[in-house]
């Protein structure tokens, strides 16, 4: 099936969202991937409190919150703990957005099912605009916003993050939470730089390969194949930011903070098979989990 056959018109509709034609065959693949995604490790964690994430966790495991082998609630407790660590990751990202007021607008580039957007609105009271390639995800995120009565403030749309409809200089802050490995970084940061006001803040949490290791390891290649993504190097992030008026204000290596999440997840019934690649690549130094917060100058 060709790209054109997939999306014959410039736009189509699904639920509440308009679907523009994918900008490339690859973006069509990614849209299909996320439209079809329904892994229990994501849905059952989201069911804990209605915040649905597609990113990983950070922080120490609270062993007291976990049940022992005889505890009939142990699986439920483990799921709640993994979810707590994923929400802690999003809070950590939001904590780097700076001083955000209720009148500000934030942009979530690659917003998934919208968990981070809801958290951002709850924290700052501001508007949050999200974009995803997946109509299913955008519908889901908008459905959650309606259920929470915050649809005037939190909105997801189907849109390419490299070419957004947002006005130049209109966002006080923007972010990518584990979504920058699907795009060219120069194109991505050019668009964030355009949308951000001067003095605005850009934040990413991402997995990147470590130039000190040499080249992407077999584990990194396995992660790329698993998710159909293209993990960039740390060097590429910093270079592409520098080329687009984004000046790093904080670079935090979160690798030691995410390992407990992975080691706990590897013991759960919700494993997906990718746990070993994350654990091994973090341990052999070929892969790093980074937060980069940058000022738009
Ligand atoms: C791993 S999920 C992360 C979702 C969300 N940031 C979170 O933390 O839950 C990756 C997201 O990136 C989005 N994405 C990938 N390439 C994109 C593009 N070119 N434009 C918009 N969204 C994109 C996918 O649709 C998906 O929602
Ligand atoms: C850090 C890196 C390289 C991330 C790649 C992007 C990605 C797929 C993130 C998690 O999504 P998910 O929550 O849907 O994945 P899973 O089903 O494994 O929990
Ligand atoms: Mg997940």
């Amino acid at each position: 099936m060709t790209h054109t056959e997939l999306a014959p018109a410039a736009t189509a509709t699904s639920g509440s969202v308009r679907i523009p034609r994918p900008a490339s065959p690859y973006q069509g693949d990614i849209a299909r991937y996320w439209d079809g995604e329904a892994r229990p490790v994501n849905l059952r964690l989201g069911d804990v409190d209605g915040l649905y994430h597609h990113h990983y966790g950070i922080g120490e495991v609270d062993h007291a919150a976990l049940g022992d082998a005889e505890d009939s609630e142990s699986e439920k407790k483990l799921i709640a703990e993994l979810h707590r660590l994923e929400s802690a990751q999003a809070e950590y990202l939001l904590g780097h957005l700076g001083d955000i007021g209720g009148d500000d607008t934030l942009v979530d580039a690659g917003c998934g099912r919208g968990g981070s957007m809801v958290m951002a609105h709850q924290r700052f009271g501001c508007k949050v605009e999200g974009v995803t390639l997946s109509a299913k995800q955008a519908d889901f995120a908008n459905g959650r916003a309606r259920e929470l009565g915050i649809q005037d403030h939190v909105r997801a749309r189907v849109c390419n993050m490299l070419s957004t409809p947002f006005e130049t200089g209109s966002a006080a802050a923007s972010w990518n939470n584990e979504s920058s490995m699907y795009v060219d970084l120069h194109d991505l940061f050019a668009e964030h730089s355009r949308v951000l006001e001067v003095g605005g803040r850009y934040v990413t949490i991402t997995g990147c390969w470590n130039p000190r290791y040499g080249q992407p390891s077999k584990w990194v290649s396995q992660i790329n194949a698993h998710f159909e993504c293209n993990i960039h190097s740390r060097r590429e992030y910093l270079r592409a930011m520098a080329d687009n008026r984004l000046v790093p204000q904080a670079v935090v290596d979160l690798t030691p903070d995410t390992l407990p999440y992975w080691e706990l997840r590897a013991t759960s019934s919700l494993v997906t098979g990718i746990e070993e690649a994350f654990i091994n690549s973090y341990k052999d130094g070929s892969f790093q989990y980074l937060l980069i917060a940058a000022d738009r100058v």
Side-chain angles (χ1 to χ4, degrees), residues 138-151:
D139 271 340
F140 189 98
N142 289 329
R144 279 301 297 139
R146 273 194 303 277
E147 282 163 16
L148 293 166
I150 58 173
Q151 68 274 21

Side-chain angles (χ1 to χ4, degrees), residues 238-249:
L238 298 175
R239 187 161 42 196
M241 282 185 187
D243 288 347
N244 286 287
R245 306 195 68 85
L246 294 171
V247 176
Q249 198 272 343

Side-chain angles (χ1 to χ4, degrees), residues 45 65-67 73-84 264-270:
L45 269 62
L66 298 172
E73 300 270 273
S74 66
E75 184 62 15
K76 201 172 149 199
K77 289 178 177 172
L78 196 150
I79 286 169
E81 184 61 3
L82 288 171
H83 182 63
R84 187 184 68 78
L264 182 64
R265 174 166 152 157
T267 70
S268 89
S269 65
L270 302 180

